[in-house]
């Protein structure tokens, strides 16, 4: 059973405030309910409860704030709901036609590797190279899992069963000082 999102995020936020104040200051306040509804409407599928819980705690990091470091291992910044919508809208026209049907159906199931982009995913984090972490909204036993997405290789499982698992793992990793480095006067980087 996963640690509740609220508990993991409190541990992460507290650690960042104590050890990585530059990263902590870049984290935005909770997403507004209207912004979350807009994101869900653009994606066109219900969002998992653990992702909604996270967005009720934070609306990511402003996309332009490159000083923020990487709050999510090993090099990801949480997206705001607005940025999640933008990235989804930018990638949706390039959906994999072998998976994504014009009627909203998908030929692949949750957790399956996939070349290209799948319109049954929602971006939640990004790195500076443009790679993403996405939540898998396809049907199947791994619905809600977190996938990595790159333009070159498409979607691949991360091992995180969902947003709650990703945050619980992040909180655990922060407890190991050999995994983190604080640079530039208070910015978190992962080793």
């Amino acid at each position: 059973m996963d640690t509740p999102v609220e508990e993991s995020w409190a541990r992460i936020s507290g650690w960042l405030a104590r050890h990585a104040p530059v990263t902590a200051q870049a984290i935005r306040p909770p997403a507004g309910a209207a912004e979350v509804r807009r994101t869900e409407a653009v994606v066109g599928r219900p969002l998992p409860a653990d992702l909604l819980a996270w967005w009720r705690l934070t609306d990511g990091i402003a996309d332009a704030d490159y000083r923020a470091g990487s709050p999510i291992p090993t090099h990801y910044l949480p997206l705001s709901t607005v940025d999640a919508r933008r990235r989804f809208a930018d990638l949706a026209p390039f959906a994999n036609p072998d998976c994504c049907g014009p009627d909203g159906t998908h030929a692949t199931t949750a957790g399956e590797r996939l070349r290209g982009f799948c319109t049954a995913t929602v971006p939640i984090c990004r790195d500076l190279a443009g790679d993403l972490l996405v939540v898998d909204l396809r049907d199947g036993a791994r619905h809600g899992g977190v996938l990595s997405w790159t333009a070159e290789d498409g979607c691949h499982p991360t091992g995180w069963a969902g947003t709650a698992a990703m945050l619980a793992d992040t909180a655990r990793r922060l407890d190991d000082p050999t995994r983190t480095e604080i640079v530039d006067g208070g910015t978190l980087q992962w080793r």
Side-chain angles (χ1 to χ4, degrees):
M1 184 168 160
D2 285 325
T3 305
V5 166
E6 297 79 5
E7 183 180 323
S8 295
W9 190 246
R11 284 180 59 198
I12 293 165
S13 299
W15 190 96
L16 292 172
R18 288 187 306 278
H19 302 287
V22 172
T23 302
Q25 290 171 2
I27 295 171
R28 296 163 47 109
E35 289 299 326
V36 172
R37 282 192 302 274
R38 283 185 196 102
T39 302
E40 195 166 44
V42 166
V43 173
R45 292 175 166 267
L47 300 176
D50 58 348
L51 175 56
L52 296 173
W54 191 30
W55 279 343
R56 282 193 296 272
L57 299 169
T58 180
D59 195 17
I61 289 178
D63 196 46
D65 198 346
Y66 295 102
R67 300 167 297 121
S70 305
I72 304 298
T74 55
H75 50 273
Y76 291 99
L77 292 114
L79 290 173
S80 70
T81 51
V82 170
D83 290 330
R85 285 195 307 270
R86 285 182 187 144
R87 289 182 190 270
F88 179 89
D90 288 347
L91 293 168
F94 304 103
N96 182 324
D98 295 330
C99 171
C100 308
D103 58 353
T105 60
H106 294 272
T108 59
T109 60
E112 255 184 86
R113 292 176 70 148
L114 178 69
R115 299 284 285 162
F117 185 73
C118 178
T119 56
T121 64
V122 59
I124 61 166
C125 295
R126 62 128 179 122
D127 71 8
L128 297 179
D131 298 337
L132 301 172
L133 292 178
V134 298
V135 172
D136 196 342
L137 304 176
R138 292 175 289 177
D139 293 333
R142 295 188 180 139
H143 176 85
V146 177
L147 305 171
S148 65
W149 177 87
T150 67
E152 299 82 22
D153 297 322
C155 293
H156 300 275
T158 62
W160 289 320
T163 304
M166 177 186 74
L167 295 174
D169 182 51
T170 299
R172 280 189 297 275
R173 289 183 192 206
L174 288 171
D175 290 336
D176 181 352
T178 66
R179 292 183 164 206
T180 60
E181 181 178 5
I182 306 304
V183 299
D184 300 328
T187 300
L188 171 64
Q189 295 295 323
W190 296 89
R191 291 183 185 162

